[in-house]
Amino acid sequence: MKTRSQTAPKPLKTVALGPRPGSPKRRPRPKPAGKGDLRAPKKPPTAFFYFMEDFRKTYKQENPSVKSMQEIGKACGEKWNTMAFEEKVKYYDIATEKRAEFEKAMIEYNKKKESGEMSEESD
DNA sequence: ATTATGATTGTTGTA
DNA sequence: TACAACAATCATAAT
């Protein structure tokens, strides 16, 4: 089975990967306190995030002194850009599968919503 | 105690 | 085509 890098072949493009034009402060995330749509499937992490999961472990092992994620984030980005495409494909595959699952979950979520989630809140 | 912020790239939706 | 917003993480600052 070969790597099904469907979306992998071209990680480039999109908008300038460098300094994005006009990047104002990202709006603060809504407080999780409101248990509104906890059942709504959230966007799956991207390949980069999966890579970060592994990277964090390694990074912490070699740099137990590091504290915040910011340094790790930079290190991740730098490493990611230097990573070989073949190694990236591995993460792209995971992300791709997760996206498919996410879409499926979204469909079921919509169905459930129409089913009776609106009038009766089980649980 | 609780919440927002900081940085990183990828994916997606909208105009 | 191009931009805006959001995904996880977690120490830190602020209230």
Side-chain angles (χ1 to χ4, degrees):
Chain A
M1 221 138 354
K2 310 168 104 156
T3 51
R4 46 165 86 106
S5 50
Q6 296 175 357
T7 59
K10 285 153 100 176
L12 309 174
K13 291 307 251 51
T14 58
V15 71
L17 295 177
R20 287 182 295 197
S23 68
K25 282 168 43 167
R26 293 173 180 167
R27 292 169 40 186
R29 302 191 296 189
K31 354 166 115 168
K35 18 172 146 149
D37 298 349
L38 286 179
R39 301 142 34 146
K42 295 190 262 201
K43 296 168 26 173
T46 63
F48 176 69
F49 275 39
Y50 284 111
F51 165 66
M52 203 205 287
E53 286 185 40
D54 284 345
F55 190 87
R56 277 183 321 132
K57 294 176 186 175
T58 302
Y59 195 91
K60 289 196 76 132
Q61 284 178 7
E62 299 190 13
N63 305 288
S65 307
V66 174
K67 304 174 179 183
S68 307
M69 276 289 309
Q70 291 145 333
E71 186 163 347
I72 298 178
K74 288 181 190 172
C76 274
E78 191 174 352
K79 176 72 174 289
W80 181 260
N81 287 322
T82 59
M83 261 172 87
F85 171 77
E86 294 179 358
E87 307 204 42
K88 292 203 224 171
V89 167
K90 169 177 161 190
Y91 296 100
Y92 278 107
D93 286 345
I94 298 172
T96 301
E97 289 184 30
K98 287 295 175 189
R99 270 179 285 147
E101 191 177 342
F102 163 71
E103 286 184 46
K104 194 164 86 168
M106 189 52 113
I107 292 170
E108 287 190 38
Y109 167 70
N110 287 334
K111 281 168 72 176
K112 261 170 127 185
K113 230 165 125 181
E114 291 181 2
S115 188
E117 186 268 340
M118 268 173 130
S119 22
E120 185 173 352
E121 299 180 23
S122 56
D123 266 47

